[in-house]
Amino acid sequence: MMRKFLFATAALIALAGPAIAADMRLPVYKDWIVRTPGGAFYGQSLGDHALDDWLGGAQAGCDYQFAGGFVIGIQGDYGWTNAEGSHDSAREIGVAYHSKVKSLASVTGRIGYAWDRLLGYVRGGAAWERDEYWATTILLGTAYTARETRPGWTIGIGGEYAFTNVLSGFVEYNYYDFGTRQIALTPQVVGLGPAFVDINETKSVVRAGLNLRFGYAAPGASH
């Protein structure tokens, strides 16, 4: 049996679909609830919308394989996107709410088992996302804006196959949950007061990419 210490960097395209990887999109769900003290519709939902788009980025990490095939590791990844969505207010006439995801990052641990050149694994850890929000009205145009870096968590499952001792490919599914956070919307029109909404956000991502490995011996290979 052998042990190996693996370093990996990856140039990847992260793709997603609500049910199958073939759709290759980034589906995001956002629900807006009014939290402006004393405001109309306090505590009521203003509706929700979904976003989807391509996501591209890179990752780096390292793995250690124990005798017997068990693997543990840690990795970080960062992706760029321009996913945007909107919905008409469920409570107001002539008002729409918009959001855009600019980036997605995570730092995760993973544990798996290697069969020859194939590695199956689960991963989980912390996640962050860069979001932009805005509200528009028919009369005023863009009435409110906000942006934030949103923390959350992620968990996923995947498989990786070593084509050579330095090149492997992977496909994985990841679920992200950014919970419910209160967002302060900044007025963009004179005379408007501040507004607050709770936004709940979750997403599913299917990622596919290539890893370049250093100090790597393929599972099942001999020294």
Side-chain angles (χ1 to χ4, degrees), residues 99-205:
S99 61
K100 179 183 291 186
V101 178
K102 301 295 291 183
S103 62
L104 178 66
S106 69
V107 175
T108 60
R110 73 172 181 173
I111 183 171
Y113 189 85
W115 297 269
D116 193 29
R117 290 182 173 270
L118 178 64
L119 171 67
Y121 60 88
V122 294
R123 63 188 292 258
W128 297 265
E129 182 175 83
R130 185 65 175 169
D131 287 337
E132 296 180 354
Y133 313 102
W134 65 101
T136 60
T137 72
I138 294 176
L139 296 177
L140 301 177
T142 301
Y144 290 93
T145 64
R147 62 178 58 187
E148 69 161 350
T149 298
R150 191 181 186 106
W153 57 270
T154 181
I155 189 170
I157 186 171
E160 184 173 0
Y161 184 81
F163 302 111
T164 70
N165 285 355
V166 297
L167 180 65
S168 63
F170 69 90
V171 176
E172 63 184 34
Y173 166 80
N174 296 283
Y175 172 80
Y176 292 81
D177 194 325
F178 293 95
T180 300
R181 289 174 58 87
Q182 186 175 99
I183 307 301
L185 299 172
T186 303
Q188 301 298 302
V189 178
V190 176
L192 291 179
F196 301 89
V197 291
D198 283 350
I199 297 181
N200 176 268
E201 180 177 352
T202 61
K203 64 170 51 63
S204 294
V205 177

Side-chain angles (χ1 to χ4, degrees), residues 75-99:
Q75 70 183 57
D77 58 74
Y78 189 91
W80 299 267
T81 184
N82 206 34
E84 184 176 328
S86 65
H87 70 274
D88 293 329
S89 175
R91 305 292 178 181
E92 304 143 306
I93 298 175
V95 178
Y97 294 95
H98 312 256
S99 61

Side-chain angles (χ1 to χ4, degrees), residues 5 7 9-10 22-23 30 42 61 65 67 72 77 119 136 138 179 202:
F5 191 64
F7 291 93
T9 62
D23 190 24
K30 292 177 181 278
Y42 181 82
Q65 180 171 330
I72 61 172
D77 58 74
L119 171 67
T136 60
I138 294 176
T202 61

